[in-house]
Amino acid sequence: MLLLRQCKTTTTKETVLSEESIAQMRAEMHKQVAVYTQDRIYHDINYNSDRIFYTMEKKVFQLPFKRSFTGLYMVPVTVGSRKLRFVLDTGAQISGVRQEILTEINADLLGSKLSISSIGGTKKQMQAYVIEEFSIGPLSLFRFPVISLQAPRLSLTNKGFYLFDGIIGWDILSQLDFEIDDVAKVFKVLENRYSFAYPNMVKALFPLLLVKDEKGNVLKMGLDTGARCGWVNKSRMQEYGYELSENVEMYGYGVHGIEEMSIQLIKRLDLYLYKAHIRLNYVHTGETDIFANLPLDGILGNEIFRNRRIRFINSKEMILLV
């Protein structure tokens, strides 16, 4: 299916979400996600967030990143004295570190596990740990909770190597105003000086966006920078009048490894986000039940800002994509 998949993002006039109905929709979304807090995640793994200590030597900084052949954006981080490669993953509610590294640094094991869902709807219990020090450039976190990852290993040689060492999740990224610049290949932490009359984002445990489609519908979408390709909710797309293909068998890769899935396809989907027109061809269906009481129409992947710049202004609940 990836051979058919296409995404093209072009610059267009600004999509302004000024209607009163959209303001009401945002207010209702805020109510629906209010119970999904970071403290709730920490509570689920029996950890008190008051124990976490942050320092940041610079308010503004940037780090180079590399984009892997699997479509992952990886930045350098330091865990203890180890130099590692972590994925920028807004789709992860909590950050994670490869199990082998957690064992090597003698990370403290927490007594509880966290239930994590995949695109195919598979749930798996992930063990939680606490690491003493974790640094992203001048940003340092102490006594920080993470989940254990079984990161994919590529075996082109007898020894093989791991594609990444961990993930920087939304628990960290949501606290920052930042930009992923796929032109200059840098991750930038910014100091925002602007206000926006009509925000297009709802801040929660997962970045939620309001986008318009070519029919004028306002769609509730998530944004997962840890996924190369996005997907949509079958039932929601049928409600909007989109035609779906017959069932197609495919394999997907996510937090639980490789999964076989039965999906359907939408031949074309045109979306408008800020000053970007996003045309997606052959979009597949998948699981979008991130929040039990807030059905999402779909999840956008990092394909939408390939060779472009995307800015997350979390302090103002605004996504800028041109």
Side-chain angles (χ1 to χ4, degrees):
M1 291 302 104
L2 289 179
L3 294 176
L4 296 174
R5 181 58 174 261
Q6 292 179 334
C7 175
K8 184 177 181 180
T9 300
T10 54
T11 302
T12 186
K13 65 180 182 179
E14 183 176 352
T15 299
V16 180
L17 304 177
S18 58
E19 296 92 327
E20 183 179 347
S21 60
I22 295 177
Q24 294 173 347
M25 179 186 294
R26 280 179 46 80
E28 184 61 29
M29 290 174 69
H30 274 291
K31 290 180 182 179
Q32 291 168 320
V33 301
V35 296
Y36 297 96
T37 65
Q38 200 61 53
D39 280 342
R40 176 174 172 173
I41 295 291
Y42 294 148
H43 178 269
D44 290 344
I45 57 175
N46 289 331
Y47 196 74
N48 185 350
S49 61
D50 292 339
R51 299 177 64 190
I52 303 171
F53 177 59
Y54 300 78
T55 64
M56 191 156 70
E57 297 173 4
K58 300 177 182 178
K59 290 184 178 180
V60 176
F61 66 90
Q62 66 181 43
L63 298 171
F65 67 68
K66 291 185 178 180
R67 191 174 191 271
S68 73
F69 69 92
T70 56
L72 301 175
Y73 289 87
M74 297 185 293
V75 296
V77 305
T78 303
V79 175
S81 61
R82 298 177 61 104
K83 305 295 183 182
L84 304 171
R85 300 174 302 166
F86 275 40
V87 176
L88 296 169
D89 190 355
T90 61
Q93 297 175 15
I94 185 169
S95 299
V97 179
R98 185 158 52 86
Q99 178 61 56
E100 290 86 346
I101 295 171
L102 293 169
T103 301
E104 290 172 9
I105 65 174
N106 295 315
D108 292 341
L109 177 67
L110 289 174
S112 298
K113 295 183 179 182
L114 191 65
S115 179
I116 303 292
S117 298
S118 69
I119 179 178
T122 302
K123 292 184 179 293
K124 187 175 181 180
Q125 298 296 312
M126 312 288 281
Q127 185 64 61
Y129 288 78
V130 175
I131 53 179
E132 288 295 331
E133 184 177 354
F134 172 39
S135 298
I136 309 165
L139 170 62
S140 295
L141 305 99
F142 302 90
R143 297 294 298 168
F144 193 72
V146 296
I147 58 170
S148 167
L149 299 176
Q150 301 297 325
R153 181 174 176 176
L154 187 63
S155 298
L156 296 178
T157 65
N158 290 334
K159 185 177 181 181
F161 64 93
Y162 288 95
L163 297 179
F164 58 87
D165 300 305
I167 55 176
I168 301 172
W170 193 237
D171 52 339
I172 296 174
L173 293 173
S174 65
Q175 306 305 309
L176 308 170
D177 290 339
F178 67 92
E179 180 178 278
I180 300 176
D181 184 343
D182 197 30
V183 179
K185 308 301 180 187
V186 291
F187 167 71
K188 304 175 184 178
V189 172
L190 312 161
E191 189 172 14
N192 179 61
R193 296 185 176 89
Y194 303 98
S195 296
F196 304 94
Y198 305 107
N200 59 13
M201 179 185 183
V202 172
K203 192 175 175 182
L205 281 178
F206 188 79
L208 302 178
L209 312 181
L210 296 179
V211 303
K212 286 190 175 181
D213 69 2
E214 62 180 348
K215 301 178 181 183
N217 299 308
V218 178
L219 275 56
K220 302 172 185 176
M221 306 287 286
L223 178 50
D224 185 354
T225 62
R228 189 174 81 176
C229 297
W231 61 95
V232 293
N233 181 281
K234 172 184 173 181
S235 298
R236 299 290 292 173
M237 291 299 104
Q238 287 176 321
E239 290 177 17
Y240 293 128
Y242 285 97
E243 184 178 347
L244 292 116
S245 72
E246 298 295 326
N247 284 356
V248 177
E249 303 302 317
M250 70 168 287
Y251 290 93
Y253 183 81
V255 67
H256 302 325
I258 297 176
E259 292 182 78
E260 184 176 2
M261 301 180 295
S262 180
I263 57 96
Q264 291 178 280
L265 300 170
I266 292 177
K267 189 173 182 179
R268 197 182 90 182
L269 182 62
D270 286 279
L271 302 175
Y272 297 87
L273 170 63
Y274 187 55
K275 294 183 179 180
H277 169 209
I278 304 164
R279 171 163 290 178
L280 299 166
N281 292 332
Y282 297 99
V283 188
H284 67 78
T285 57
E287 181 64 57
T288 63
D289 291 340
I290 309 299
F291 305 97
N293 57 344
L294 179 62
L296 298 184
D297 297 307
I299 308 293
L300 295 172
N302 63 44
E303 61 189 345
I304 68 170
F305 57 87
R306 178 86 183 269
N307 298 320
R308 304 182 83 85
R309 301 179 181 92
I310 188 168
R311 183 170 291 188
F312 292 72
I313 309 297
N314 285 302
S315 61
K316 300 297 181 180
E317 296 191 316
M318 190 71 180
I319 296 287
L320 307 180
L321 178 62
V322 297

